[in-house]
Amino acid sequence: MATHSELAEEGAIQIVIIKTTGDKILSQPLADIGGKGLFTKEIDEALINGEIDIAVHSMKDVPTYLPEKTILPCNLPREDVRDAFISLSAASLAELPAGSTVGTASLRRKSQLLHKYASLNVLENFRGNVQTRLRKLNEGVVQATLLALAGLKRLNMTEHVTSILSIDEMLPAVAQGAIGIACRSNDDTMANYIASLNHEETRLAVACERAFLLTLDGSCRTPIAGYAYKDDDGNCIFKGLVASPDGIRVLETSRKGLYAHEDMVMMGKDAGKELLSQAGPAFFGF
């Protein structure tokens, strides 16, 4: 609206809230519901059918293949990518007594957690919105939980954060903290509108991480983490990880290169290929 005055007129923009499968089915783990696009499919269908003009996604939820007839040329400036530790009884993961239960539906968090703290238990089907998860924590269902700091910041709920996990402690999910905006591939008007919102540094980082994910063909069943960022010298640093769900095996790699689209996509792919060859087919249950 700031850039395009015609959009500032009353009624020029209508927000349509769409509930997706992932929002609705809270009784079972995401991996068991199956398939990709659990938080995007219904929104994409509305876009393709012309019911909406642009689609706003959490990039963490967007499958590596976009639906036909859609493009995603825009990423907003990235929020903090780190995970938050929340507990009423311990100041950090390290302080949780052996046998404590941590609630997380994320295999990425579970595997990294168990790799470092094998004495903890993980309650896997710990799903629902932030408020629901905090309520379960207060009720003593779990002693701690991990949530993306980005979501807590956007909801203005950071007062619940006990401590913030460093990137070394808990590598984030691919595209964590990034929001993407998609439109129909033949809609130049919308592409032009959302281009004015694009944050190129974020778009390139997300492209690097998603190239890594695509190479590994990650699904909800495979713990994968990846993070690309610009260092003080303006280079791209990429860190990638795959793990067995029980956290016994964790494979990590990193890359450094030019902060440019082609270079960063190659870094992501190359890191993915390295971990694929290190892991071997049995690792991913192929």
Side-chain angles (χ1 to χ4, degrees):
M1 287 160 74
T3 314
H4 309 278
S5 56
E6 68 273 24
L7 295 180
E9 292 172 22
E10 199 175 332
I13 296 174
Q14 180 194 355
I15 294 174
V16 180
I17 295 169
I18 297 173
K19 274 209 149 78
T20 63
T21 306
D23 297 315
K24 291 175 195 161
I25 303 178
L26 297 172
S27 56
Q28 39 189 145
L30 291 174
D32 291 355
I33 304 169
K36 297 181 184 180
L38 291 172
F39 291 96
T40 56
K41 189 165 166 279
E42 288 83 352
I43 300 171
D44 289 330
E45 283 168 356
L47 180 63
I48 293 162
N49 295 336
E51 295 160 30
I52 58 173
D53 297 299
I54 63 173
V56 183
H57 293 301
S58 177
M59 285 305 297
K60 188 163 79 165
D61 299 329
V62 176
T64 43
Y65 290 103
L66 296 178
E68 277 184 48
K69 302 179 185 163
T70 71
I71 52 170
L72 206 161
C74 170
N75 285 137
L76 301 184
R78 197 169 195 174
E79 184 48 273
D80 197 314
V81 301
R82 295 173 297 173
D83 282 320
F85 172 78
I86 304 176
S87 176
L88 305 174
S89 58
S92 66
L93 277 171
E95 288 184 28
L96 281 173
S100 298
T101 300
V102 181
T104 176
S106 157
L107 292 182
R108 170 189 64 84
R109 293 186 180 120
K110 175 191 172 183
S111 58
Q112 291 186 73
L113 189 70
L114 292 178
H115 187 67
K116 294 183 177 77
Y117 306 101
S119 65
L120 297 176
N121 297 318
V122 172
L123 177 64
E124 265 190 48
N125 194 24
F126 194 73
R127 297 200 44 230
N129 62 24
V130 172
Q131 292 86 341
T132 302
R133 296 186 211 188
L134 292 174
R135 193 191 73 236
K136 287 179 181 175
L137 181 69
N138 285 325
E139 289 169 358
V141 177
V142 293
Q143 280 73 60
T145 188
L146 305 175
L147 294 170
L149 184 57
L152 293 164
K153 281 190 161 190
R154 292 196 182 107
L155 291 165
N156 291 320
M157 293 176 71
T158 49
E159 73 273 12
H160 297 285
V161 175
T162 307
S163 59
I164 297 171
L165 301 178
S166 72
I167 297 298
D168 294 329
E169 236 180 320
M170 182 67 67
L171 198 62
V174 163
Q176 183 152 311
I179 285 175
I181 308 182
C183 64
R184 289 181 291 277
S185 36
N186 62 357
D187 193 340
D188 295 341
T189 307
M190 291 304 141
N192 182 48
Y193 281 148
I194 61 180
S196 55
L197 293 174
N198 180 53
H199 186 251
E200 192 64 1
E201 184 180 323
T202 299
R203 190 181 77 87
L204 297 187
V206 167
C208 175
E209 294 166 21
R210 282 168 61 82
F212 172 71
L213 184 65
L214 177 62
T215 306
L216 292 164
D217 191 32
S219 72
C220 282
R221 291 190 179 279
T222 318
I224 295 172
Y227 177 44
Y229 62 97
K230 192 180 272 191
D231 71 5
D232 295 338
D233 300 323
N235 291 309
C236 173
I237 307 289
F238 173 75
K239 296 181 177 184
L241 172 156
V242 294
S244 56
D246 56 15
I248 289 171
R249 285 187 74 193
V250 170
L251 306 175
E252 298 177 79
T253 188
S254 62
R255 293 287 182 281
K256 182 177 181 175
L258 287 177
Y259 208 98
H261 190 269
E262 203 174 317
D263 297 76
M264 289 168 69
V265 168
M266 280 307 298
M267 284 160 64
K269 281 184 182 168
D270 192 60
K273 283 176 186 164
E274 184 201 327
L275 292 189
L276 268 181
S277 63
Q278 267 192 50
F283 192 91
F284 293 99
F286 292 155

